[in-house]
Amino acid sequence: MTQRVDRAGLQVAAQLADFIEGDALPGTGIAADAFWTGFSALIHDFGPKNKALLEKRETIQSQIDDWHKERGDQAHDYTAYEAFLRDIGYAVPQGDDFTIDTANVDPEIASIAGPQLVVPITNARFALNAANARWGSLYDAFYGTDAMGRSPQDKGYDRGHGSRVVARTRVFLDDTFPITGASHGDVRRYVVERGALMIDDAPLMIPDQFVGYTGNPKAPDTILLCNNGLHVEMVFDRASVIGSRDRALLADVRMESAVSAIMDCEDSVACVDAEDKVLAYGNWLGLMRGDLEAVLTKNGKTITRKLNPDIAYTAPNGEAATLKGRALLWIRNVGHLMTNPAVLDRDGNEAYEGLMDAMITTLIAKHDLAQDSGNSVHGSVYIVKPKMHGPEEVAFTNDIFAHVEQHLGLPQHTIKVGIMDEERRTSANLKECIRAAKSRVAFINTGFLDRTGDEIHTSMEAGPFSRKDFIKRKGWITAYENQNVDIGLDCGLSGKAQIGKGMWAMPDAMAAMIEQKIEHPRAGANCAWVPSPTAATLHALHYHKVDVFAVQASLKAGGPRSSLQSLLDIPVARFSGWSAAQIAREVENNAQGILGYVVRWIDSGVGCSKVPDMNNVGLMEDRATCRISAQHIANWLHHDVVDEATVLEAMRKMAAVVDGQNAGDDSYRPMAPDFDGIAFQAASDLVFRGREQPSGYTEPVLHRRRLELKAQRNS
């Protein structure tokens, strides 16, 4: 049983209270009594409002369900549908044009376009890797992946691969930092003379791309170049194997890569109680204080990971200068839906976890604000808020943050908000959502998977949805992606905030990523998610090729590219004469993804991992991918595309497949042949009770089943 202590009318798990009073509060200048008083007011004053907003979601959903059921095939009259959504308050009137006035935004958010990482905050090593992914070796990224068509693990790999890596890097340097009348591939020396970079006596075509160096100007240790706001560091080392074999002694090219990173308390973690929350908050505290460490063993050696320092260098004018050595960190709080037993209110009800996160993660961020340098040099706290439904819920978040600022002694609008455009009611009202927090907004993005999960649940009664691959090809997704950028630009986000795009889900497919993910900066996104630091280094190549802010200016001049009706084009199947084999393939694919993810979530508490698909291709899976797969099967069950017996048979078949894929893990607990474990039951709940889940979310089932497993183990 959880031990609890009374704090200002709250019943707080002793483990969480000890962390806040013993670790988080010291150094902030806030007394414990003052903190608990403000926290209690937040839980008790905002809790009922939170509950009312969730009830409104369900009321609106019931009205939409009834509308589709009453109209049947006529439900595809989108003029009538839009009018109906306005009548029930789902779509709200759009106000006059405005521009956000968010202030004190760091350059990594406002003026630098580049890759963005999202990592589970509960894993200290991952968190440190992401923070340190501000800089990455292009040599290593090319050498250790399939980025150039084959990797060291491929059959055709040979010793000439290293030479091709060097040659490919020189091509990048020639394309990005051209030399007058020469090529980087032929250079013998780089020197700094009278504040200018000379390369075998020739200058750069654009001299201002040279921004600094370290060491002796006649024989620099490093040379810093800059293009489209991103830096590249050329590293020289005659003592290294690579440098000694290079005519110019060039040993590496380091890319400014993950300009920003999101430390995630939400989709990629499995935090269900005080023990889990203290782990998450403790790692965030280490990042904000700058003292987080992770000890690991690699090749028999003990390695301690720490945060990288800033980079000191000499500017062309001879003055000392520094560059940030770490990514600018956001913290993603949970949404409005879930509660957590770590804190109970005065009536014994679990507190809303989003309220907990807002107060505690901001308290912890005060440690960074007290430093001369650190995460934010402009005195801001960056919080991504996911899964909000419409402007009323964004306004509620704005009020929460105002309360937190007041009780933590922070200036108004210190907390900046990231609005994730991943629920359809937010997409339909994005401009008004931004208006509701126009002095805080520093990030908007699109997320296809959660957005599709909500699309299916919202329109569950409209008919059977297309197969997943075909959903992506429907007109609504183009309208959704375009509208997000267009509205962001119309509201003045360019130069003030990030407009982001979603994750590349295949961490081992870097050649394909290089080919395809350039479309994100071309679409006007000044950040996009990648699955690893290596992927961030390779994705940085795209931001050297594309001047995102020029693209944004062109897009804004062109005007809007979509309408609300195009956004509301529900991707149901106009023709559903699928064969039995096609149906089985789709259901099994969904089932395998659900089971592969859920078994790790429930049994191991892993909220995000690389899960092999049916073809053994590793895909990054989190709750968003699980949500769409579960809702898709639930939709087909509801419309009799498939029956429960067939789905259960597919689930059992795929459980055996997942067991085989995890056969090398000694700690793994097989689901087959009994199929009576908590993990399999959780996966079944997500599918067979999918229509009952609020907005189609997976969290209620996963949290309940994970707590069940933890209680079973503790007993």
Side-chain angles (χ1 to χ4, degrees):
M1 178 174 288
T2 302
Q3 292 186 333
R4 299 187 181 278
V5 294
D6 184 277
R7 295 292 186 270
L10 298 172
Q11 294 301 308
V12 184
Q15 186 176 8
L16 178 61
D18 290 345
F19 167 77
I20 289 173
E21 294 170 358
D23 297 315
L25 280 170
T28 64
I30 299 175
D33 287 348
F35 171 82
W36 292 116
T37 298
F39 192 23
S40 181
L42 179 68
I43 298 301
H44 290 112
D45 293 350
F46 285 77
K49 300 174 187 177
N50 197 326
K51 185 172 184 286
L53 288 171
L54 296 178
E55 290 171 348
K56 184 172 182 177
R57 289 184 189 180
E58 294 303 310
T59 298
I60 288 175
Q61 183 61 58
S62 295
Q63 292 172 305
I64 293 173
D65 288 344
D66 291 343
W67 193 86
H68 284 302
K69 285 187 282 190
E70 289 170 5
R71 281 157 182 77
D73 291 340
Q74 299 178 22
H76 303 307
D77 179 349
Y78 290 111
T79 300
Y81 186 43
E82 179 182 345
F84 160 71
L85 294 179
R86 294 192 183 282
D87 286 344
I88 66 172
Y90 182 98
V92 303
Q94 187 165 287
D96 295 337
D97 290 344
F98 71 97
T99 300
I100 64 168
D101 54 14
T102 313
N104 301 319
V105 180
D106 287 87
E108 292 90 341
I109 303 296
S111 58
I112 304 175
Q116 187 172 66
L117 281 166
V118 184
V119 295
I121 189 61
T122 49
N123 189 309
R125 180 167 62 88
F126 289 178
L128 286 165
N129 287 348
N132 290 338
R134 179 66 172 260
W135 294 89
S137 165
L138 188 57
Y139 277 6
D140 288 349
F142 279 145
Y143 190 85
T145 71
D146 72 341
M148 299 194 307
R150 59 178 54 164
S151 70
Q153 292 75 36
D154 291 334
K155 202 170 184 180
Y157 175 76
D158 56 50
R159 293 188 179 182
H161 186 63
S163 298
R164 289 191 289 273
V165 167
V166 172
R168 176 65 182 82
T169 302
R170 291 300 209 287
V171 170
F172 161 71
L173 292 173
D174 282 342
D175 290 344
T176 311
F177 306 103
I179 309 165
T180 303
S183 166
H184 286 276
D186 301 323
V187 171
R188 293 182 177 275
R189 70 188 193 112
Y190 296 79
V191 299
V192 179
E193 295 180 352
R194 294 184 294 277
L197 177 63
M198 301 302 295
I199 308 164
D200 283 349
D201 300 322
L204 290 170
M205 284 188 182
I206 307 173
D208 288 347
Q209 288 184 315
F210 169 61
V211 295
Y213 66 95
T214 63
N216 185 339
K218 297 299 182 183
D221 295 328
T222 65
I223 286 173
L224 277 166
L225 306 172
C226 187
N227 175 62
N228 289 345
L230 282 179
H231 294 85
V232 172
E233 183 183 49
M234 302 176 68
V235 181
F236 302 90
D237 186 356
R238 70 181 70 243
S240 72
V241 173
I242 297 176
S244 64
R245 292 177 180 173
D246 189 276
R247 285 181 296 182
L249 307 178
L250 185 63
D252 201 358
V253 172
R254 297 208 315 145
M255 308 283 288
E256 190 173 20
S257 302
V259 177
S260 59
I262 298 174
M263 299 293 144
D264 190 20
C265 293
E266 195 230 5
D267 263 2
S268 67
V269 301
C271 290
V272 300
D273 55 18
E275 176 187 32
D276 298 333
K277 296 301 288 186
V278 167
L279 175 60
Y281 294 149
N283 287 342
W284 179 238
L285 177 62
L287 290 170
M288 292 295 94
R289 289 195 308 211
D291 59 5
L292 183 64
E293 294 184 358
V295 179
L296 61 147
T297 301
K298 191 172 184 179
N299 298 325
K301 296 182 179 179
T302 299
I303 301 172
T304 301
R305 294 272 172 85
K306 301 180 180 180
L307 289 167
N308 288 340
D310 289 343
I311 298 172
Y313 66 98
T314 303
N317 62 7
E319 295 182 357
T322 60
L323 278 175
K324 291 282 286 289
R326 302 184 296 277
L328 190 283
L329 303 183
W330 290 82
I331 182 78
R332 181 159 67 169
N333 289 182
V334 305
H336 293 318
L337 175 66
M338 294 303 295
T339 61
N340 194 288
V343 178
L344 306 181
D345 67 15
R346 63 169 66 98
D347 298 317
N349 301 310
E350 292 184 5
Y352 283 102
E353 193 173 351
L355 301 179
M356 289 171 49
D357 279 356
M359 192 75 174
I360 298 172
T361 61
T362 304
L363 168 72
I364 290 168
K366 287 201 67 170
H367 290 272
D368 174 67
L369 300 180
Q371 302 178 75
D372 292 333
S373 64
N375 189 50
S376 173
V377 298
H378 287 300
S380 291
V381 177
Y382 298 97
I383 298 179
V384 174
K385 188 69 176 179
K387 295 180 174 59
M388 293 186 288
H389 291 234
E392 190 176 9
E393 294 193 9
V394 177
F396 178 61
T397 293
N398 187 65
D399 292 342
I400 291 169
F401 289 163
H403 174 98
V404 169
E405 288 164 343
Q406 178 184 355
H407 285 274
L408 295 182
L410 295 171
Q412 187 181 33
H413 301 141
T414 293
I415 303 173
K416 306 304 185 284
V417 67
I419 299 174
M420 297 192 66
D421 179 4
E422 56 188 353
E423 309 299 320
R424 201 181 70 163
R425 187 146 58 109
T426 291
S427 300
N429 302 286
L430 183 59
K431 184 173 182 177
E432 296 312 302
C433 288
I434 295 172
R435 189 194 306 273
K438 69 184 184 70
S439 298
R440 295 190 189 276
V441 175
F443 169 89
I444 61 172
N445 80 329
T446 53
F448 168 76
L449 292 168
D450 258 316
R451 181 64 178 77
T452 304
D454 188 63
E455 187 79 20
I456 298 172
H457 188 84
T458 300
S459 306
M460 183 67 71
E461 298 292 345
F465 269 63
S466 299
R467 288 176 286 168
K468 283 201 302 188
D469 283 346
F470 288 84
I471 291 175
K472 299 177 184 179
R473 306 177 195 178
K474 301 289 185 176
W476 75 275
I477 187 64
T478 301
Y480 163 60
E481 295 285 355
N482 287 345
Q483 179 190 263
N484 179 274
V485 175
D486 291 345
I487 290 178
L489 296 177
D490 187 53
C491 294
L493 269 67
S494 185
K496 294 181 181 179
Q498 291 176 318
I499 299 176
K501 294 295 183 187
M503 179 67 76
W504 177 262
M506 296 175 285
D508 298 325
M510 291 295 96
M513 189 196 77
I514 288 176
E515 178 183 356
Q516 298 175 37
K517 202 169 173 67
I518 194 170
E519 294 306 319
H520 283 161
R522 284 175 176 167
N526 51 332
C527 70
W529 289 359
V530 287
S532 68
T534 296
T537 296
L538 294 170
H539 185 37
L541 296 170
H542 296 144
Y543 296 90
H544 286 285
K545 289 185 178 180
V546 179
D547 182 346
V548 175
F549 294 105
V551 171
Q552 289 182 345
S554 176
L555 289 172
K556 185 174 182 180
R561 293 169 288 169
S562 62
S563 65
L564 179 57
Q565 283 195 26
S566 61
L567 188 75
L568 298 175
D569 184 9
I570 302 169
V572 292
R574 300 293 187 253
F575 167 78
S576 57
W578 301 304
S579 68
Q582 288 174 318
I583 293 171
R585 177 72 178 177
E586 188 75 12
V587 172
E588 288 177 2
N589 179 61
N590 280 328
Q592 190 272 343
I594 294 167
L595 288 159
Y597 174 70
V598 169
V599 71
R600 298 185 184 192
W601 210 102
I602 298 298
D603 287 354
S604 303
V606 175
C608 180
S609 59
K610 185 169 70 173
V611 176
D613 68 4
M614 289 178 64
N615 301 310
N616 285 315
V617 175
L619 301 177
M620 295 301 294
E621 299 278 355
D622 65 7
R623 288 204 296 265
T625 55
C626 188
R627 181 187 185 190
I628 182 176
S629 296
Q631 287 298 297
H632 196 261
I633 295 180
N635 174 264
W636 277 17
L637 280 167
H638 182 54
H639 292 284
D640 299 321
V641 176
V642 65
D643 59 36
E644 289 194 11
T646 301
V647 171
L648 182 58
E649 180 183 354
M651 295 282 286
R652 289 176 171 173
K653 178 181 176 181
M654 290 301 105
V657 170
V658 171
D659 288 347
Q661 291 172 329
N662 287 277
D665 184 351
D666 293 338
S667 64
Y668 180 80
R669 299 176 60 197
M671 292 178 282
D674 297 328
F675 309 110
D676 58 357
I678 294 175
F680 187 82
Q681 293 170 11
S684 299
D685 289 346
L686 291 173
V687 170
F688 295 113
R689 302 178 64 182
R691 287 182 60 236
E692 304 170 23
Q693 304 310 309
S695 304
Y697 291 134
T698 61
E699 288 93 320
V701 167
L702 291 174
H703 280 231
R704 183 177 68 253
R705 290 295 191 176
R706 174 67 179 163
L707 284 167
E708 180 184 349
L709 182 95
K710 293 183 81 169
Q712 185 183 87
R713 288 179 177 174
N714 290 336
S715 64

